[in-house]
Amino acid sequence: MALLVTGRRFRNELSSLRGEVETLKQSVGALCSSAVGVDKRVIRLERRGRDLEERQETIEHNKAGDHPPYAEAIRLVQQGASAEQLVNELGISGGEADLIVMLHRNSQA
């Protein structure tokens, strides 16, 4: 009889442990899924940080030059340059070049 009681207790304990293992598996699975999501966000933030750093370096580089591109564009327009020339020579956008030409074409020296 004692062996029968011990066997039932063993089965109950085994069943309880299997339930705990299943719960732990689900918890680990949820943690892994969360970790993947966090990892993707970290990668996105690192990429964004690098992009911002590059943009800032470009801005600082442009400021460090002898003449800002707009000052050079104004000077060229005052010497008769076209918007297309500004785009080709200074790498500014067509809209920026058109605006500079409209604003500074009549102020030629």
Side-chain angles (χ1 to χ4, degrees):
M1 184 69 148
L3 190 57
L4 187 61
V5 171
T6 305
R8 277 189 211 148
R9 195 176 304 149
F10 176 75
R11 274 188 253 123
N12 287 341
E13 184 70 23
L14 183 61
S15 178
S16 175
L17 289 173
R18 283 183 178 154
E20 287 182 38
V21 167
E22 189 59 35
T23 301
L24 289 171
K25 280 182 179 179
Q26 291 173 356
S27 295
V28 168
L31 286 172
C32 288
S33 294
S34 296
V36 168
V38 168
D39 190 44
K40 287 179 181 179
R41 282 183 285 203
V42 167
I43 289 170
R44 258 195 327 259
L45 288 172
E46 286 175 344
R47 187 178 306 128
R48 187 170 183 201
R50 283 192 305 271
D51 291 345
L52 289 172
E53 186 177 337
E54 288 174 11
R55 287 175 61 191
Q56 184 173 354
E57 287 175 5
T58 301
I59 290 168
E60 289 173 359
H61 176 73
N62 287 340
K63 286 182 179 179
D66 293 335
H67 300 285
Y70 299 124
E72 181 68 12
I74 292 168
R75 186 184 65 75
L76 291 172
V77 166
Q78 289 172 343
Q79 293 177 352
S82 67
E84 185 177 340
Q85 287 173 306
L86 298 180
V87 170
N88 293 334
E89 292 180 26
L90 301 176
I92 61 176
S93 72
E96 291 171 317
D98 289 337
L99 180 61
I100 291 170
V101 168
M102 285 189 293
L103 292 173
H104 296 282
R105 174 71 72 193
N106 295 331
S107 63
Q108 292 179 3

